[in-house]
Amino acid sequence: MARITASVYTSHVPAIGAAMDLGKTQEDYWKSVFAGYDFSKQWMKDNKPDVIFLVFNDHATAFSSDLIPTFAIGTAAEYQPADEGWGPRPVPVVKGHPELASHIAQSVIQQDFDLTIVNKMDVDHGLTVPLSLMCGPLDPIKDAWPCPVIPFAVNVVQYPVPSGQRCFNLGQAIRKAVESYDEDINVHIWGTGGMSHQLQGARAGLINREWDNAWLDQLIQDPAACAATPHINYVREAGSEGIEMVMWLIARGAMNDIKDGKATGPAPQLRHRFYHVPASNTAVGHVILENSSST
């Protein structure tokens, strides 16, 4: 059967993509940010998956205020990098995995989660920046991403947005779907977005290091309690855009230690953790967890 072997969590700051695309990664401002992913790039080479299930949020490129799905799964064969106002990022086209994506959609919907099925969409920095951070710079013509990617878009832009508990439960349904796929493939699930940041209003520029790191502790060690964090806590402590962190709970809920909504199995191995301030106007968080081989 297919299996999820690891989960990756990372911020998807658009300025990080711009720094990579413009060759600024070794400038003093950016050097420390990218150094935090040196381990991750090597880990990715050593643990290359067959498919990445990548949870992200669209930033008004694939979807607009005319249509805002809460959860949307991409089932296409490929996805073009989106033009977000200054041209598409110079990165390879993202190849999909229609067979596994369609299987996951079927299984998750039968588990009573309503998904929007998307057969065509462009993908913005929410998806391409995490891939660039984990895979390094690639030539858009000569190179390719290391494996197919299934985009899974979550609405954390327009209220009402899904709760952390709903996302955590969804992760468990996704793992069940993957494990029922009749092919021996290795899947990584990535949760992206966050951490604390606010882009507008009187608190624009808010960053809360203490809360971010306490939340990461809980995500790793007590994910069920982390999933119970109410929305107002994210807004109050992590800023209006900090709500993106609920997407990490989809990936955490898909790990093998979670049974019936609780962490009862062998804990995943923490392979890497990184936190840095600032990167543009936000904090950057990053974690890699590997499932226990005994599960």
Side-chain angles (χ1 to χ4, degrees), residues 11-291:
S11 302
H12 59 212
V13 185
I16 288 177
M20 295 186 75
D21 300 342
L22 298 173
K24 297 184 176 183
T25 60
Q26 294 307 303
E27 292 185 0
D28 288 343
Y29 181 87
W30 289 108
K31 189 180 296 184
S32 297
V33 175
F34 290 101
Y37 289 84
D38 287 344
F39 172 91
S40 309
K41 291 196 288 286
Q42 186 59 50
W43 177 88
M44 188 70 180
K45 293 176 182 177
D46 296 339
N47 298 272
K48 185 172 110 44
D50 297 308
V51 183
I52 296 168
F53 187 95
L54 201 154
V55 183
F56 74 111
N57 66 287
D58 175 71
H59 300 79
T61 53
F63 309 111
S64 71
S65 58
D66 293 337
L67 176 65
I68 307 174
T70 301
F71 300 118
I73 186 168
T75 55
E78 65 177 32
Y79 308 88
Q80 296 289 333
D83 184 344
E84 300 182 62
W86 48 86
R89 287 194 65 216
V91 295
V93 170
V94 177
K95 301 295 184 181
H97 197 300
E99 297 81 10
L100 179 58
S102 297
H103 172 83
I104 292 173
Q106 164 75 14
S107 175
V108 169
I109 290 171
Q110 289 297 311
Q111 294 177 70
D112 300 327
F113 286 90
D114 296 324
L115 304 185
T116 298
I117 296 170
V118 184
N119 294 313
K120 182 180 180 181
M121 69 172 167
D122 293 345
V123 289
D124 65 20
H125 71 270
L127 184 136
T128 63
V129 166
L131 287 172
S132 293
L133 283 168
M134 295 296 296
C135 303
L138 297 174
D139 185 279
I141 305 300
K142 299 177 181 178
D143 298 327
W145 300 114
C147 67
V149 176
I150 298 174
F152 192 85
V154 180
N155 170 39
V156 288
V157 175
Q158 177 65 58
Y159 275 82
V161 303
S163 67
Q165 187 66 60
R166 184 70 167 164
C167 290
F168 190 59
N169 294 345
L170 176 57
Q172 296 164 67
I174 290 168
R175 184 183 75 227
K176 182 177 179 180
V178 169
E179 291 176 349
S180 67
Y181 187 65
D182 192 19
E183 186 177 342
D184 185 19
I185 57 174
N186 170 18
V187 179
H188 287 180
I189 184 165
W190 294 13
T192 73
M195 297 192 78
S196 62
H197 62 303
Q198 179 152 328
L199 302 180
Q200 71 288 307
R203 297 198 306 164
L206 179 149
I207 293 175
N208 189 338
R209 293 171 182 257
E210 183 178 355
W211 197 85
D212 282 345
N213 281 288
W215 189 89
L216 284 175
D217 291 342
Q218 196 173 55
L219 177 78
I220 296 164
Q221 300 164 11
D222 191 0
C226 191
T229 302
H231 275 190
I232 191 62
N233 286 27
Y234 289 96
V235 177
R236 181 187 297 117
E237 302 292 344
S240 54
E241 278 69 44
I243 194 63
E244 289 180 355
M245 293 156 73
V246 299
M247 294 187 291
W248 296 31
L249 286 159
I250 296 178
R252 188 63 183 90
M255 296 299 281
N256 287 350
D257 61 319
I258 307 302
K259 309 292 182 184
D260 299 322
K262 298 179 181 179
T264 58
Q269 181 182 5
L270 174 62
R271 293 303 312 277
H272 185 54
R273 177 170 171 173
F274 172 68
Y275 182 83
H276 178 81
V277 173
S280 184
N281 54 0
T282 183
V284 171
H286 175 40
V287 171
I288 298 174
L289 298 177
E290 291 181 2
N291 270 325

